[in-house]
Structures are given as C-alpha cells and as structure tokens.
Amino acid sequence: VVSRPVRIDIDGPRLGERVRRDGYELIGASADGDSGAGVYDGDGRLGALVFARSDERDDVLFAVEASEIVDALGAPPVDHRCDPERSTLVADES
C-alpha cells in the first residue's frame, strides 16, 4: 500500500553524488532481499522499485518511482567497484 509520495535522498554511484528522487513510502511486509523488487499497479505496469526498508518500522518500505530509473535502464553498462571508505559502488574508470 502506498502511504504517501516522498522525495528521497539517494547516493548516486553513477553520478558520483547524492541525488533527490521521487518515490513512495509503502506500508507492507518485506523480507531481506526485497530490494529491487517491482511495485506494480492494478494493470500490471511497473510503478516503482523497492530500495530500502525503514530503520524505525518493519512495515515501512521506500520505493523509487519508475520514471526516475528509465534513463538508468537505457544507459550503456558501466563497470563498478566498491569504494570501502564511502561504502558504495563507484564507476570503475581504470
């Protein structure tokens, strides 16, 4: 269940900076590994992708609106490496 639309701060590894995205706060059950799961409307259209669970409530999830990821889905693949100091993936430019 979508409880409300939200603006979400996300680390953008491909962008090298923190970005703000449109998304949703969801109420529902979740399990480890649900990150990346699709959120579909009643007609089966992708509306969002789950990316996080609330640290404060087990029944609250956050999803990025599908329109926010269209560019990333169509972009050419980029190799990434882990940056342990930032605890994130960064583009591998080697």
Side-chain angles (χ1 to χ4, degrees):
V1 175
V2 175
S3 63
R4 65 188 175 115
V6 293
R7 289 290 288 170
I8 304 165
D9 288 324
I10 301 173
D11 284 326
R14 292 183 82 156
L15 302 174
E17 63 187 37
R18 199 159 181 85
V19 295
R20 292 183 60 81
R21 300 281 189 229
D22 288 327
Y24 303 102
E25 180 182 275
L26 310 172
I27 303 296
S30 68
D32 289 345
D34 282 350
S35 188
V39 179
Y40 298 88
D41 69 11
D43 294 324
R45 293 178 300 214
L46 179 66
L49 288 178
V50 173
F51 77 92
R53 183 174 23 193
S54 171
D55 291 333
E56 295 152 9
R57 288 184 49 190
D58 290 339
D59 65 339
V60 174
L61 307 166
F62 295 96
V64 174
E65 186 174 287
S67 64
E68 293 283 1
I69 61 169
V70 169
D71 289 340
L73 292 174
V78 175
D79 289 330
H80 289 82
R81 65 175 175 77
C82 179
D83 180 341
E85 289 185 23
R86 292 176 46 206
S87 186
T88 189
L89 290 176
V90 295
D92 186 0
E93 298 173 3
S94 58

